[in-house]
Amino acid sequence: RPYVCPCPGTSCKWLGHLHAVLDHLLMAHKTITTLHGEDIVFLATDIYLPGAVDWVMMQCCYDHHFILVLEKQEKHEGHQQFFVVVQIIGTEKDAEQFKYKLELMGHGRKLTWEAKPRSIHESIGTVIANTDCLVFETAMAQHFGENGNLAINVTIFKKCLY
């Protein structure tokens, strides 16, 4: 089946084959930054903007591209939650080859989440609905944020296949 555009927060109606997803993102969503390496920092700025907001970037390592999404949702008046999702631009079988680690650090605190990336075949909304991602409240964002910015260390690991 065709893949939909994996970029959250847009009204993009693109559909296409897996091998065309990366080109689509690079051409149609030029604001997405791509960082290279298995260990990078995903910097989300202005995390206290009101309402629902998405921060998106890509990480390239091990000859694969990963989409990193920080999504802020307002669950009800004044109650916001943050969700961090890592997806591979690939199939579920591709995703099985990797795991990732997210780390929030600062002010003598450290919060770590490790999991397998999700394939872009699964929508961000589904991953969030299943809470199969790092989830934290505004108070936690304040513990780790600095001047309205939040730095998330992202490390991608290739699983050893013996």
Side-chain angles (χ1 to χ4, degrees):
R1 70 174 200 222
Y3 286 77
V4 298
C5 175
C7 190
T10 66
S11 58
C12 184
K13 303 293 183 215
W14 181 87
L15 289 170
H17 293 284
L18 177 59
H19 67 272
V21 172
L22 182 60
D23 286 340
H24 164 72
L25 290 171
L26 294 173
M27 296 305 293
H29 303 282
K30 294 180 190 280
T31 59
I32 297 175
T33 300
T34 301
L35 295 180
H36 295 267
E38 58 269 0
D39 192 14
I40 59 108
V41 176
F42 178 7
L43 182 63
T45 58
D46 299 323
I47 62 170
Y48 301 121
L49 288 171
V53 182
D54 292 306
W55 294 265
V56 181
M57 71 178 302
M58 284 196 295
Q59 182 173 355
C60 179
C61 57
Y62 304 110
D63 294 322
H64 284 82
H65 281 78
F66 299 83
I67 299 174
L68 316 174
V69 177
L70 172 64
E71 184 167 303
K72 182 176 70 162
Q73 296 181 358
E74 188 145 358
K75 291 300 184 183
H76 50 18
E77 189 62 39
H79 179 77
Q80 298 175 332
Q81 284 185 308
F82 291 83
F83 302 86
V84 187
V85 178
V86 177
Q87 291 184 299
I88 188 170
I89 298 178
T91 65
E92 189 60 38
K93 186 176 180 183
D94 294 330
E96 291 291 337
Q97 299 176 48
F98 299 94
K99 71 176 186 174
Y100 67 89
K101 178 171 64 172
L102 304 173
E103 290 181 307
L104 299 173
M105 292 186 282
H107 310 289
R109 297 174 178 88
K110 182 176 180 178
L111 177 67
T112 303
W113 169 270
E114 289 188 32
K116 173 184 71 91
R118 310 307 302 183
S119 166
I120 58 165
H121 236 141
E122 190 172 0
S123 74
I124 294 284
T126 301
V127 175
I128 289 173
N130 294 333
T131 59
D132 190 13
C133 57
L134 175 60
V135 182
F136 53 94
E137 311 292 322
T138 303
M140 192 65 69
Q142 291 170 342
H143 284 309
F144 294 104
E146 196 167 309
N147 300 321
N149 301 323
L150 186 65
I152 304 169
N153 294 331
V154 183
T155 306
I156 306 285
F157 302 94
K158 188 166 176 98
K159 291 181 181 178
C160 295
L161 303 174
Y162 297 105

